């Protein structure tokens, strides 16, 4: 879900990550602080227009919120029941706007560029003992581990299924944790053997 | 040349390798042995991932204990599971990692990246997420990540164990075409028939060190 | 900090994010913090890695969320979430992980009940102490209502404490040198 980058040459692709992140932070905060349905709806339209600018198909935009559809439905139903249609629409639209906006940044920014600019920003914290290179290595690794953990979880669940244990949380979580630590040990060896100086 | 002098290795009070002395200089060297024989630990000694409990391991005169950095630059290491070797989310970024560690400039990194991707017909995967590659492509990426660092030696610890037959053969062809000295730990005996030297490790000792024609039958006898 | 420390920190960032992929149980229309598996990541990072590495792991996690990575359950991310009703709980995570790590590692030979108690202290008490006042202010709820709401979360959190305790102790047996 984090390897979202879609290659392109649009204005948004060429913008450097720093300002893009700053714009995201400001826009997200603004969205959160305003409480008007109209403004929120306009924001969604504006964000979708930005997808056009970035040459990202609407299908990709929809794919960003599809996994959350059922949450949207629940939110909408609950808010409608308790607080009326306007608030329900507002809450769901605001959520959609936030996710679409954050996804637009990830879709148009390579993870490595994002990490590079964060590393540059982190140099400011060097005097208090922050090592930017180590932080950026940790971020890259974390992003790589997420899909791998998902796959290990599936494998473990399948293995335990043959023993009728797939419903036992511990029977799945314990081997998963042990394999994850083993993977981390192997990855440290690989990083060391590829010449990384700590 | 990689030199091992009276090398022993133990983990805590559990001995793994006993007093091994060897010189490795042939171009194609295979290391075979049963699971748990100590062959993986042997491989890890060669680039300083494991340090000998006693004795010395040196690569072109550089001691793995004292000059680890020089050793890493000379000896590339390929692991069994490429998932654990690929550090970065995107193919191109991962290839750049080792080269950045060597301190190469951006232009050289870009050139070498293009070269290696073309050599293995993976140009179209340059910006591809690494975790979406097939098993064979992942191992090829892991090997490429090592080769772009231009090591003089490549140590491979069972690089084909997790692959299907077609990919096993593809990796074998890739290895045979390399200019470097390779030290290949493997269970796939058919891949090493034309190697220069085969070392059989059994219970932490060198049980046989000969040509494939002699060492492979010896190993098959040993496992019978 | 060794390479291994960095890799472990990354692993627990990823683990906390991966736990967020399990569907959260949301209620009251998102005005309240959803019940998610993610605080299990907080408890595990602390109890397995210790105060320093566990705290850094969650600090990095929160920083990534603030940068807009959709790592929170339900694909949430961005600065906006941190300003919402559940922001206080999320910002508390690094502190909770550090507290748990400090307690659990200082008493490494404690029995399973004591370890569980320490995880509950950091993962429930400290988290609620920091998160509830935030929720009360941001959600215009008042402290009494906020407290009452949080009671609903305690059973779920206790389940997570049990899981974290069992997994952390199991891992320590399997890998004494973590």
């Amino acid at each position: 879900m984090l390897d979202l980058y879609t290659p392109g040459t649009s204005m948004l692709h060429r913008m450097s990550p720093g300002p893009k992140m700053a714009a995201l932070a400001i826009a997200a905060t603004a969205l959160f602080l305003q409480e008007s349905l109209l403004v929120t709806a306009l924001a969604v339209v504006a964000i979708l227009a930005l997808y056009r600018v970035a040459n990202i198909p609407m299908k990709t935009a929809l794919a960003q919120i599809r996994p959350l559809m059922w949450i949207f439905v629940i939110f909408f139903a609950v808010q409608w029941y308790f607080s009326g249609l306007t608030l329900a629409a507002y809450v769901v639209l605001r959520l959609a706007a936030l996710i679409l906006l954050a996804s637009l940044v990830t879709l148009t920014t390579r993870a490595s560029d994002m990490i590079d600019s964060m590393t540059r920003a982190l140099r400011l914290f060097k005097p208090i003992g922050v090592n930017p290179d180590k932080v950026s290595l940790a971020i890259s690794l974390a992003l790589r581990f997420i899909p791998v953990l998902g796959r290990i979880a599936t494998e473990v669940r399948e293995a335990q299924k043959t023993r009728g244990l797939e419903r036992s949380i511990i029977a799945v979580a314990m081997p998963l944790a042990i394999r994850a630590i083993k993977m981390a040990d192997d990855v440290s060896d690989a990083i060391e053997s590829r010449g990384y100086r700590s | 040349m990689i030199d091992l002098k009276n090398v022993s290795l133990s983990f805590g009070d559990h001995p793994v390798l006993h007093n091994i002395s060897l010189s490795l200089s042939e171009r194609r060297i295979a290391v075979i042995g049963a699971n748990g024989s100590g062959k993986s630990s042997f491989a890890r000694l060669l680039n300083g991932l494991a340090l000998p409990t006693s004795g010395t391991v040196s690569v072109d005169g550089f001691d793995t204990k004292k000059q680890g950095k020089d050793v890493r630059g000379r000896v590339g290491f390929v692991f069994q599971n490429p998932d654990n070797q690929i550090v970065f989310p995107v193919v191109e970024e991962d290839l750049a990692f080792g080269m950045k560690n060597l301190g190469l400039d951006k232009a050289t990194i870009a050139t070498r990246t293009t070269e290696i991707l073309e050599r293995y017909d993976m140009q179209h995967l340059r910006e591809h997420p690494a975790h979406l590659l097939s098993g064979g492509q992942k191992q090829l990426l892991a090997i490429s990540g090592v080769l772009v660092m231009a090591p003089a030696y490549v140590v491979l610890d069972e690089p084909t164990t997790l692959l299907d037959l077609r990919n096993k053969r593809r990796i074998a062809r890739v290895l045979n075409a390399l200019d470097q000295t390779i030290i290949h730990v493997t269970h796939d005996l058919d891949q090493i028939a034309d190697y220069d030297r085969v070392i059989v490790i059994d219970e932490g000792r060198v049980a046989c060190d000969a040509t494939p024609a002699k060492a492979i039958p010896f190993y098959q006898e040993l496992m019978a | 900090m060794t390479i291994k420390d960095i890799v472990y920190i990354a692993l627990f960032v990823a683990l906390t994010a991966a736990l967020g992929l399990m569907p959260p149980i949301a209620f009251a229309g998102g005005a309240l913090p959803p019940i998610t598996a993610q605080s299990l990541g907080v408890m595990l990072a602390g109890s397995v890695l210790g105060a320093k590495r566990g705290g850094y792991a969650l600090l990095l996690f929160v920083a990534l969320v603030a940068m807009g990575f959709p790592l929170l359950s339900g694909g949430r991310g961005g600065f906006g979430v941190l300003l919402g009703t559940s922001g206080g709980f999320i910002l508390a995570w690094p502190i909770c992980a550090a507290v748990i790590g400090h307690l659990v590692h200082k008493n490494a030979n404690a029995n399973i009940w004591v370890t569980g108690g320490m995880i509950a202290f950091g993962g429930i008490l400290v988290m609620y102490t920091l998160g509830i006042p935030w929720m009360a202010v941001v959600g215009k709820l008042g402290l009494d209502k906020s407290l009452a709401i949080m009671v609903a979360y305690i059973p779920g959190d206790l389940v997570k404490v049990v899981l974290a305790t069992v997994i952390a102790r199991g891992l320590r047996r399997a890998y004494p040198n973590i």
Side-chain angles (χ1 to χ4, degrees):
Chain A
M1 92 192 190
L2 290 159
D3 289 316
L4 285 172
Y5 178 70
T6 36
T9 52
S10 75
M11 194 183 83
L12 283 162
H13 283 89
R14 280 179 281 123
M15 221 170 129
S16 71
K20 232 185 310 194
M21 302 292 298
L24 169 65
I26 293 167
T29 310
L31 260 173
F32 235 87
L33 294 179
Q34 60 82 33
E35 286 178 8
S36 144
L37 174 60
L38 182 67
V39 172
T40 311
L42 285 175
V44 172
V45 174
I47 292 163
L48 289 175
L50 284 175
Y51 274 78
R52 282 302 288 269
V53 172
N55 257 324
I56 293 169
M58 280 304 126
K59 215 176 76 191
T60 315
L62 279 178
Q64 307 311 314
I65 42 176
R66 193 171 304 124
L68 304 167
M69 265 319 173
W70 68 271
I71 299 175
F72 285 5
V73 171
I74 293 173
F75 273 34
F76 190 81
V78 172
Q79 286 288 18
W80 189 6
Y81 184 79
F82 285 110
S83 329
L85 200 54
T86 319
L87 194 67
Y90 161 74
V91 167
V92 169
L93 276 178
R94 187 181 69 175
L95 203 57
L98 277 171
I99 289 158
L100 283 171
L101 195 61
S103 303
L104 186 60
V105 174
T106 14
L107 282 165
T108 57
T109 319
R110 279 161 191 273
S112 58
D113 289 344
M114 185 124 49
I115 293 159
D116 279 349
S117 17
M118 203 185 93
T119 313
R120 240 171 291 141
L122 277 175
R123 296 220 177 103
L124 299 173
F125 297 98
K126 244 181 176 165
I128 57 164
V130 176
N131 181 331
D133 294 332
K134 289 184 178 178
V135 176
S136 71
L137 178 65
I139 295 173
S140 302
L141 285 170
L143 298 183
R144 223 196 82 65
F145 283 159
I146 296 172
V148 179
L149 284 177
R151 221 198 37 242
I152 297 179
T154 315
E155 282 172 19
V156 171
R157 212 177 297 130
E158 276 164 8
Q160 299 297 37
K161 211 178 219 165
T162 61
R163 302 164 60 191
L165 286 172
E166 78 274 16
R167 281 184 194 284
S168 157
I169 299 177
I170 288 291
V172 174
M174 202 63 238
L176 171 64
I178 287 179
R179 279 187 57 178
I181 295 286
K182 168 90 176 72
M183 169 182 77
D185 288 345
D186 289 349
V187 168
S188 330
D189 281 348
I191 290 174
E192 206 179 329
S193 79
R194 290 175 71 183
Y196 186 81
R197 309 166 293 281
S198 69
Chain B
M1 187 157 69
I2 303 183
D3 256 315
L4 288 84
K5 284 203 189 88
N6 306 323
V7 170
S8 297
L9 176 70
S10 24
F11 295 132
D13 48 8
H14 174 64
V16 185
L17 295 170
H18 308 274
N19 198 30
I20 294 181
S21 294
L22 281 175
S23 283
L24 305 171
S25 57
E26 291 80 359
R27 237 183 103 217
R28 297 287 174 266
I29 302 169
V31 179
I32 56 180
N35 295 326
S37 59
K39 59 185 191 313
S40 267
S41 303
F42 176 80
R44 294 162 60 88
L45 281 172
L46 304 180
N47 84 331
L49 272 179
L51 297 173
T53 315
S54 65
T56 55
V57 178
S58 63
V59 178
D60 296 339
F62 294 101
D63 189 328
T64 56
K65 256 186 189 160
K66 294 171 200 144
Q67 288 146 304
K69 217 182 122 187
D70 297 292
V71 170
R72 300 274 155 64
R74 281 178 172 71
V75 187
F77 199 102
V78 176
F79 293 80
Q80 180 185 83
N81 187 350
D83 265 328
N84 297 344
Q85 177 153 10
I86 300 169
V87 177
F88 281 79
V90 176
V91 168
E92 174 180 43
E93 298 170 358
D94 189 70
L95 288 172
F97 177 65
M99 294 191 275
K100 277 186 189 164
N101 293 338
L102 287 179
L104 300 180
D105 60 83
K106 269 201 167 148
T108 315
I109 292 178
T111 320
R112 286 198 193 176
T113 302
T114 309
E115 266 169 25
I116 201 93
L117 289 174
E118 278 174 2
R119 189 194 312 175
Y120 297 129
D121 210 13
M122 301 198 293
Q123 305 93 311
H124 58 294
L125 300 175
R126 192 176 185 125
E127 296 192 352
H128 208 74
H131 78 273
L132 297 178
L133 300 177
S134 73
Q137 286 170 332
K138 276 186 194 167
Q139 192 54 281
L140 212 46
L141 172 61
I143 293 174
S144 302
V146 167
L147 293 179
V148 288
M149 296 173 71
Y153 308 85
V154 181
V155 180
L156 305 104
D157 187 7
E158 298 190 37
T160 55
T161 302
L162 300 173
L163 301 179
D164 62 28
L165 190 58
R166 173 184 302 195
N167 281 307
K168 272 187 208 291
R169 289 187 176 146
R170 180 162 188 208
I171 298 292
R173 278 199 302 277
V174 165
L175 297 182
N176 282 328
L178 293 182
D179 297 326
Q180 281 93 344
T181 291
I182 66 169
I183 296 128
H184 183 181
V185 178
T186 186
H187 287 298
D188 290 317
L189 300 180
D190 52 328
Q191 285 184 13
I192 59 171
D194 53 357
Y195 273 36
D196 302 315
R197 179 177 177 186
V198 175
I199 297 167
V200 181
I201 297 198
D202 187 46
E203 295 184 354
R205 291 185 170 81
V206 175
C208 179
D209 183 355
T211 58
K214 281 185 193 156
I216 295 176
F218 172 90
Y219 176 63
Q220 281 162 335
E221 185 81 357
L222 187 71
M223 293 295 110
Chain C
M1 194 143 316
T2 65
I3 294 174
K4 207 164 234 184
D5 292 333
I6 298 171
V7 178
Y8 281 153
I9 287 172
L11 179 66
F12 280 82
V13 172
L15 179 74
T16 308
L19 285 167
L21 297 177
M22 292 167 67
I25 307 166
F27 49 148
L32 303 176
I35 293 187
T36 77
Q38 281 193 304
S39 54
L40 178 59
V42 180
M43 298 175 192
L44 281 173
S47 53
V48 175
L49 296 185
K52 194 172 158 194
R53 293 177 300 175
Y56 279 147
L58 268 301
L59 193 61
L60 185 56
F61 181 89
V62 174
L64 289 173
V65 168
M67 282 167 65
F69 284 95
L71 300 183
L72 289 171
S73 61
R76 292 171 306 146
F79 215 68
V81 186
L82 296 181
L83 298 175
T85 45
S86 50
F89 292 96
I90 295 162
L91 291 169
W93 284 355
I95 299 165
C96 300
V99 169
I100 293 171
H102 177 74
L103 291 173
V104 170
H105 278 228
K106 209 174 73 180
N107 307 287
N109 298 317
N111 71 38
I112 192 159
W113 297 102
V114 176
T115 306
M118 293 184 294
I119 294 176
F121 176 79
I124 299 180
L125 201 69
V126 174
M127 200 181 295
Y128 284 25
T129 307
L130 295 167
I132 292 176
W134 182 291
M135 186 167 84
V137 172
V138 176
K140 302 187 183 81
L141 276 168
L143 210 50
D144 50 340
K145 269 189 222 138
S146 302
L147 270 169
I149 289 165
M150 288 314 293
V151 171
Y153 290 80
I154 290 177
D157 282 339
L158 285 175
V159 172
K160 283 179 257 177
V161 168
V162 172
L163 280 173
T165 309
V166 174
I167 295 171
R169 289 176 69 94
L171 274 183
R172 195 124 30 84
R173 270 204 310 276
Y175 293 94
N177 302 324
I178 287 179

